Amino acid sequence: KPVIFSGMQPSSDSLHLGNYIGALSQWTKMQEDFDAFFCVVNLHAITVPQDPKELAERTRTTAAQYIAAGIDPAKSTLFVQSQVPAHAELAWVLNTLTGFGEASRMTQFKDKSQRSGADSASVGLFTYPILMAADILLYQAHAVPVGEDQRQHVELTRDLATRFNSRFGDTFVVPEAQIQKGTAKIYDLQDPTSKMSKSAESEAGLIKVLDPANVTKKKIMRAVTDDDASIRFDREAKPGVSNLLTIYSVLTGQSMQSLEDEFAGRGYGDLKKSLAEVVEETFAPVRTRTEELLSDRAELDRLLTTAADRANEVAARTLDRVYTAIGLIR
Ligand code: TYM
């Protein structure tokens, strides 16, 4: 089976709707046809300051949400990055193959470091995409299912794989980003021209998987729309309404055309109320299952350790080949 690899940072108390639609819901479908590795990337999370207790807690909560949303630990290898030392080891090697200018062109660093100021941003935040390349290449992944914001990082990964292969001999599969057209970027409900993000200034436009139904409903009812009270998809002229329709369409599987027909002549309030129900139907079971999983930490940790063993086996094999190819004595 071809291999897929993807990951999420455990840097929030809950995944958000963008993570769910852009990544997680894709993963659950793909795990049937691929040898799938899904990682909770806690080494990435520490590129910005984290509270230690919270980080440990959020690592488990993130893993639990993967499972609750449908990742089957019997089919997929769902593991925690820090439990597989090869990630940090390969990242070091790739660091030495990455140009400073090349790394400087990564737009996410520019965005993220703007908040703290580039001088106080960590070097880890700067080399973050290189650790991500290591994640992917260790498993010889063919495809990387992610949202639009990760496209540039997967491009860098391809460049590094190609460079390594031509310099040291064929070692890595050159992976491809798998980005779903139309749903790879879910927008903030208050600012529908920016992507929904846990680091947004306000949480008013951020829908969280683990939030109670009334909180989510309130946020949806207050979503920014426009004055032209017609319900149709038009990303340019009607970004707010289009975002709501996109979410509606992915979560129900209903086509845009049939949604436009269904809501023709009705008001935004109607659309929002229905959407709140759709979101709640999707997230309620995920929430319940997450709580169940978190109520038995020992079992959850056991699942993660078993998966880390499997991941370690695959990753160590690749790292061995890398070290040998470069001439690093083992
Ligand atoms: P992270 O944790 O920021 O986000 C996890 C996944 O969610 C997607 N995503 C979105 N999709 C659609 N609309 C949105 N508004 C939205 N916000 C987030 C992201 O594209 C991502 O797929 N660098 C990665 C984590 C990572 C990784 C990897 C991913 C580390 N190593 C290896 C793939 C392969 C990140 O910070 O994702």
Side-chain angles (χ1 to χ4, degrees):
K1 277 189 191 176
V3 177
I4 56 171
F5 184 98
S6 200
M8 282 193 211
Q9 297 194 60
S11 48
S12 169
D13 50 359
S14 167
L15 299 181
H16 61 73
L17 188 60
N19 301 139
Y20 183 85
I21 291 177
L24 197 49
S25 67
Q26 266 201 84
W27 301 357
T28 52
K29 283 182 219 133
M30 293 177 83
Q31 70 179 338
E32 308 297 332
D33 304 318
F34 292 85
D35 185 8
F37 293 84
F38 299 120
C39 189
V40 182
V41 294
N42 54 352
L43 298 176
H44 279 102
I46 62 168
T47 56
V48 296
Q50 301 289 340
D51 174 79
K53 260 214 192 91
E54 252 175 17
L55 178 62
E57 183 65 23
R58 288 171 172 183
T59 301
R60 293 193 176 89
T61 312
T62 303
Q65 286 173 95
Y66 283 13
I67 300 173
I71 301 298
D72 180 352
K75 286 186 190 142
S76 301
T77 306
L78 158 52
F79 71 104
V80 176
Q81 192 183 27
S82 61
Q83 294 188 314
V84 181
H87 290 250
E89 294 172 291
L90 180 60
W92 176 255
V93 171
L94 297 178
N95 266 317
T96 66
L97 295 176
T98 309
F100 187 82
E102 190 176 28
S104 306
R105 283 192 289 278
M106 296 293 116
T107 55
Q108 199 166 71
F109 176 77
K110 289 184 201 163
D111 294 346
K112 285 194 181 179
S113 62
Q114 242 167 25
R115 271 172 233 133
S116 60
D119 277 350
S120 55
S122 73
V123 174
L125 186 66
F126 184 67
T127 60
Y128 173 118
I130 301 162
L131 176 59
M132 178 163 161
D135 297 342
I136 298 166
L137 298 180
L138 276 175
Y139 300 92
Q140 307 288 3
H142 300 87
V144 185
V146 285
E148 182 60 45
D149 59 347
Q150 301 300 317
R151 186 189 291 278
Q152 197 188 29
H153 295 160
V154 180
E155 277 306 313
L156 175 71
T157 306
R158 291 171 57 83
D159 290 346
L160 289 173
T162 309
R163 188 172 309 155
F164 190 100
N165 288 348
S166 71
R167 215 174 279 179
F168 300 106
D170 222 11
T171 307
F172 293 125
V173 169
V174 181
E176 261 177 64
Q178 182 138 339
I179 298 173
Q180 223 71 340
K181 208 171 147 271
T183 60
K185 194 165 177 186
I186 298 300
Y187 296 84
D188 188 291
L189 299 194
Q190 286 302 318
D191 175 11
T193 55
S194 307
K195 75 165 178 179
M196 185 177 285
S197 160
K198 60 200 156 211
S199 44
E201 265 166 45
S202 146
E203 289 210 342
L206 183 72
I207 301 298
K208 292 179 168 187
V209 175
L210 299 182
D211 267 352
N214 61 329
V215 172
T216 294
K217 182 167 185 193
K218 206 178 274 172
K219 288 181 182 174
I220 293 175
M221 296 309 293
R222 288 183 185 160
V224 165
T225 47
D226 53 50
D227 299 331
D228 154 54
S230 72
I231 299 181
R232 60 192 165 78
F233 184 89
D234 182 339
R235 171 71 62 214
E236 296 300 309
K238 301 166 73 65
V241 175
S242 300
N243 190 37
L244 298 179
L245 285 169
T246 302
I247 298 168
Y248 204 122
S249 161
V250 214
L251 295 185
T252 57
Q254 225 175 314
S255 75
M256 208 49 94
Q257 186 58 55
S258 94
L259 278 179
E260 288 181 349
D261 293 346
E262 187 179 330
F263 285 101
R266 295 164 66 187
Y268 292 153
D270 270 5
L271 171 67
K272 290 173 170 177
K273 222 185 271 166
S274 290
L275 178 61
E277 280 163 22
V278 164
V279 171
E280 175 56 11
E281 269 165 38
T282 310
F283 286 169
V286 179
R287 240 170 13 236
T288 312
R289 184 82 184 103
T290 301
E291 272 164 33
E292 281 168 18
L293 288 158
L294 289 173
S295 69
D296 189 350
R297 298 297 164 105
E299 172 61 13
L300 182 60
D301 285 1
R302 200 189 54 76
L303 279 177
L304 293 174
T305 310
T306 308
D309 287 344
R310 159 106 216 284
N312 256 310
E313 241 171 68
V314 180
R317 221 180 301 143
T318 304
L319 191 70
D320 252 339
R321 288 178 58 190
V322 168
Y323 272 40
T324 306
I326 298 179
L328 296 169
I329 292 172
R330 285 302 247 168

